[in-house]
Amino acid sequence: MSTSNLVVRRLAGALAAAGLMGATAAQAGEVEVLHWWTSGGEAKAATALKGKLLALGHTWRDFAVAGGGGDSAMTVLKSRVVSGNAPAAAQIKGPSIQEWAREGVLAPIDDVAKANNWDTLLPKSIADGLKYKGSYVAAPVNVHRVNWLWANPAVFQKAGVKVPTTWDEFFTAAEALKKAGVIPVAHGGQNWQDFTTFEAVALGVGGTDFYKKALVQLDQGTLKSATMEKVLATFKKVKDYTDRNAAGRDWNLATAMVINGQAGMQIMGDWAKGEFLAAGKVPGKDFVCSPAPGTGKAYTYNVDSFAMFKLKNDANVKAQKDLAAAIMSPEFQEVFNLNKGSIPVRLNMDLAKFDDCAKQSSADFVASSKSGALLPSIAHGMAAPSAAEGAIKDAVSQFWNTDKMTPKEAMDRIASAAKQK
């Protein structure tokens, strides 16, 4: 039996046990779901969501658009909405949810949220991001920790160094890996991957308060500060330890380089863990998950959500609401996140089946939410308006790819980009 069929069968059994099956033929509708989960671990997770809807008696129409950062998917979505043919649900997150809601195209799902106690099951900061004018318009699937460093322990042992927890240790390790004949840092030269690395450096070098002021509040003084100059210099130094073939490489291919020992480490969110697990690797043995250097007490998050678009067909509206309810059910939260590499967004979930990386992520998620160090990821659409985020992302990649650009010049470009509305 294929893995996909097995996931669907297991979900059907779990749903039947939970009493969530039972959409009759008269109630059955179709949900067209736009997402960008196309790599190995992600595709298994998407299959889990499909299985959930099939088990409820509905029809699932997959609308997958490849591209790890979701930029391509958003371009396609805009054309569909403009033409009056929006999907039932689309993978949207952060301030973009409110931007779509302001256009009047999203459907409120407060009845589903209230019936299933979402306000008590979600951290307030997460719940607020799913609402527009007090009404839920999106359902959250998971929580990804973005500030992770992934490492191959066998490669590090060969080089005679430990997995770094500070930026000084990072560059010491990178130099040792290089001398051992290994690519120190696996990287994909795409702007969102550059931005992910930049964000980790900004938090690790600048700290929580700096990150909030610079990348959430977009404070001009902080964006032009001496600390930002140091962040940019450190960020550019990371590039020295990537390989010449990085340009255009997809993130999962960079992860594969760490998996097969071609590279020592990768800075990437915990969706990378799904690739290690799909390859049969065991956390703590075959790979190491560690907070990115200097970020151990902070947590940058990326919450995948499905925004619900207004539909006219009653059966499809019912299917859409069933989709929203299914997404937040404990059964789905467990199966989905076990496949995706992320952790459940529901509080107080049983994590017995989850690995040590997920358990650490969950503990740090709770701790950082209490300490004020739970931070939205600007690189993954959680922190800034889309126009400013896109402009800053472009400025960061220009600096990464332009050898003669100084940190001061990059700083001015980033500060200017932050003014985009």
Side-chain angles (χ1 to χ4, degrees):
M1 182 184 293
S2 73
T3 302
S4 295
N5 288 337
L6 185 61
V7 170
V8 171
R9 287 276 296 274
R10 284 177 175 172
L11 270 166
L15 290 168
L20 288 173
M21 292 183 70
T24 66
Q27 295 173 310
E30 177 184 85
V31 285
E32 184 180 18
V33 182
L34 171 65
H35 63 88
W36 57 86
W37 293 326
T38 54
S39 73
E42 293 178 322
K44 285 185 179 181
T47 298
L49 185 55
K50 176 182 178 180
K52 187 90 171 176
L53 267 290
L54 295 179
L56 289 167
H58 299 301
T59 302
W60 169 285
R61 195 196 309 176
D62 203 54
F63 186 6
V65 180
D71 292 343
S72 299
M74 289 304 96
T75 300
V76 174
L77 177 62
K78 286 172 184 174
S79 65
R80 285 284 302 270
V81 173
V82 168
S83 66
N85 185 29
Q91 189 180 347
I92 302 174
K93 58 194 176 184
S96 290
I97 293 173
Q98 284 72 41
E99 291 174 16
W100 280 103
R102 282 194 291 273
E103 296 296 320
V105 295
L106 298 188
I109 50 173
D110 285 328
D111 51 346
V112 175
K114 187 174 182 180
N116 293 281
N117 302 311
W118 287 11
D119 277 344
T120 58
L121 290 172
L122 296 169
K124 187 177 185 302
S125 59
I126 303 297
D128 288 346
L130 304 166
K131 296 177 180 180
Y132 178 66
K133 292 185 176 179
S135 290
Y136 280 98
V137 291
V141 178
N142 58 0
V143 176
H144 277 296
R145 186 179 198 169
V146 180
N147 60 312
W148 278 120
L149 178 76
W150 305 92
N152 184 317
V155 170
F156 269 79
Q157 187 174 8
K158 176 185 173 184
V161 285
K162 64 177 184 176
V163 176
T165 59
T166 68
W167 283 107
D168 285 343
E169 290 177 359
F170 178 91
F171 292 116
T172 297
E175 195 61 38
L177 290 165
K178 188 175 182 180
K179 288 179 180 177
V182 176
I183 296 167
V185 182
H187 185 72
Q190 297 170 336
N191 60 6
W192 73 269
Q193 295 191 62
D194 300 339
F195 210 14
T196 299
T197 300
F198 170 77
E199 170 182 293
V201 175
L203 180 57
V205 172
T208 298
D209 289 342
F210 169 82
Y211 182 97
K212 286 179 181 176
K213 289 177 182 177
L215 302 181
V216 180
Q217 298 167 13
L218 305 181
D219 176 71
Q220 286 290 307
T222 308
L223 289 169
K224 294 181 178 180
S225 65
T227 301
M228 178 58 86
E229 188 174 359
K230 184 180 179 183
V231 165
L232 286 162
T234 305
F235 169 64
K236 194 65 168 281
K237 190 177 178 182
V238 174
K239 190 184 181 186
D240 294 339
Y241 296 99
T242 63
D243 67 306
R244 292 180 180 178
N245 298 320
R249 178 187 290 139
D250 286 335
W251 69 269
N252 52 308
L253 298 182
T255 305
M257 292 168 64
V258 180
I259 292 172
N260 64 30
Q262 184 182 356
M265 52 187 166
Q266 179 188 22
I267 296 170
M268 187 53 62
D270 57 17
W271 47 92
K273 187 183 68 176
E275 300 301 299
F276 284 97
L277 299 180
K281 302 302 181 181
V282 179
K285 177 186 174 186
D286 303 312
F287 68 96
V288 172
C289 54
S290 177
T295 72
K297 293 184 178 180
Y299 193 112
T300 48
Y301 66 84
N302 171 19
V303 175
D304 283 319
S305 305
F306 280 100
M308 304 297 166
F309 284 78
K310 289 181 177 177
L311 303 174
K312 295 177 181 177
N313 181 288
D314 288 344
N316 291 349
V317 170
K318 173 68 168 66
Q320 182 187 57
K321 290 182 184 293
D322 283 346
L323 171 66
I327 284 170
M328 271 289 286
S329 70
E331 299 79 23
F332 172 72
Q333 288 277 320
E334 180 178 274
V335 172
F336 179 89
N337 287 293
L338 283 171
N339 279 301
K340 187 71 164 63
S342 43
I343 61 172
V345 69
R346 283 177 63 118
L347 295 173
N348 304 318
M349 278 279 295
D350 181 1
L351 299 179
K353 294 181 181 178
F354 286 78
D355 57 58
D356 290 345
C357 294
K359 289 173 181 174
Q360 180 183 345
S361 180
S362 183
D364 290 350
F365 177 62
V366 173
S368 61
S369 67
K370 293 177 180 176
S371 69
L374 183 62
L375 306 164
S377 166
I378 187 171
H380 294 274
M382 301 302 300
S386 56
E389 177 202 323
I392 296 170
K393 179 165 58 179
D394 288 345
V396 165
S397 279
Q398 286 169 5
F399 175 59
W400 179 267
N401 292 308
T402 306
D403 292 339
K404 293 183 179 180
M405 189 185 297
T406 66
K408 281 190 176 181
E409 290 171 332
M411 200 158 57
D412 288 340
R413 292 192 182 202
I414 290 170
S416 178
K419 295 177 182 179
Q420 297 294 315
K421 300 294 184 183

